[in-house]
Amino acid sequence: KMRQLTTVVLAILPALLSAYVLPISPTGLRPASSLRVVSLNVASKQRASGKRATLGLEMQLGREVSDQGLAGYSGVSGLLPEDYLAFGLAKCYRMEEGVVSEVWMIEPLTGATLECINKGLPTSYRRTIALRADQALVGGLERPTAVNMASLQPLMSDGEEAQLCDDIVERTLAAGRTLRRRVESQIVPVGQTYDKYNFQPSTNKRIVNFKNQVSDDDNVKQDLSIDVYGRKG
């Protein structure tokens, strides 16, 4: 019975370790605490005298995992220098005191966005560019602080005066992770621009400073014929 129990434990031990030794945080990148990747070399040796089974567990420590990300990745960014990033030049609109004006915005693109606009859907993006992470980010991949405007300059090849979107570094890191997961969305060659899109910015105007003002008029009114609150018209 003891030998059977040992066999069962050895069978389920790898699954238990993979499920609990490396808990992954909701971001899918950084575990909650500093751990080490552990690989088990389970060796069952049988002694000649007494024929007793002994269990040899050899713990081989792999690369260290810290609360700043998996080893091999660059700190909190979670990106490697060669990771693929994409940016787009979008025509948006700003509303101030009832007056609508045009504004060009530079934004990072997710894999899903890049695939959609490449299929010919109407878009506000005039032009896109693909860069490596080490070309696009400033301050090092450990803790990037800004994007490299010189690398993004080809987006404004027609003389557009563009501004960066809000939280562009954080959005770039998040978009880069989606592009890493979907290699098929890496459509634009690195270092090149592309502008053969269905550019229709006025179809669904993007108001960059739009604020939704909620009022009582937004409430759904119940018809008096089915009113359950005793209201009178």
Side-chain angles (χ1 to χ4, degrees):
K1 292 183 178 179
M2 182 62 69
R3 186 172 299 175
Q4 293 177 348
L5 179 61
T6 302
T7 303
V8 173
V9 171
L10 291 177
I12 66 173
L13 189 56
L16 292 175
L17 285 171
S18 63
Y20 295 103
V21 171
L22 276 179
I24 302 299
S25 68
T27 61
L29 289 173
R30 299 186 294 277
S33 59
S34 180
L35 300 170
R36 288 181 181 272
V37 178
V38 179
S39 63
L40 289 179
N41 179 16
V42 180
S44 180
K45 299 180 181 179
Q46 190 168 359
R47 294 180 181 177
S49 59
K51 296 182 180 181
R52 295 179 58 187
T54 60
L55 177 65
L57 294 178
E58 214 173 274
M59 307 299 287
Q60 297 178 345
L61 296 179
R63 58 186 185 176
E64 185 175 4
V65 180
S66 69
D67 58 357
Q68 290 188 342
L70 296 176
Y73 289 91
S74 302
V76 297
S77 75
L79 296 180
L80 292 171
E82 65 272 16
D83 276 343
Y84 184 97
L85 296 176
F87 296 85
L89 177 69
K91 177 181 279 190
C92 303
Y93 298 87
R94 186 185 302 277
M95 181 179 294
E96 295 178 351
E97 298 180 355
V99 178
V100 178
S101 58
E102 296 180 355
V103 57
W104 291 97
M105 301 289 294
I106 295 177
E107 302 174 318
L109 302 178
T110 65
T113 300
L114 199 54
E115 288 184 72
C116 287
I117 64 177
N118 191 63
K119 293 182 183 296
L121 298 177
T123 180
S124 61
Y125 291 105
R126 178 68 183 88
R127 193 175 296 110
T128 60
I129 188 172
L131 299 168
R132 296 195 316 269
D134 59 353
Q135 295 174 323
L137 296 169
V138 175
L141 293 182
E142 185 73 21
R143 292 182 182 274
T145 57
V147 293
N148 188 350
M149 284 300 298
S151 297
L152 298 175
Q153 196 64 35
L155 281 175
M156 299 167 281
S157 58
D158 289 340
E160 298 93 346
E161 295 183 3
Q163 62 187 66
L164 301 177
C165 67
D166 294 338
D167 304 319
I168 190 169
V169 174
E170 291 80 2
R171 291 176 59 181
T172 298
L173 300 181
R177 292 190 286 268
T178 69
L179 288 161
R180 184 200 299 145
R181 289 195 298 268
R182 293 187 58 81
V183 180
E184 60 271 25
S185 63
Q186 300 178 12
I187 301 168
V188 182
V190 174
Q192 297 185 26
T193 60
Y194 186 77
D195 59 2
K196 305 301 182 183
Y197 298 116
N198 186 10
F199 180 59
Q200 297 185 32
S202 58
T203 300
N204 291 304
K205 292 185 177 181
R206 295 178 54 191
I207 308 297
V208 295
N209 61 336
F210 176 77
K211 293 183 180 179
N212 187 27
Q213 300 292 338
V214 180
S215 67
D216 291 339
D217 294 334
D218 298 322
N219 295 333
V220 176
K221 299 297 189 299
Q222 188 177 48
D223 191 88
L224 291 177
S225 63
I226 57 172
D227 179 60
V228 296
Y229 300 105
R231 295 178 300 172
K232 297 180 180 180

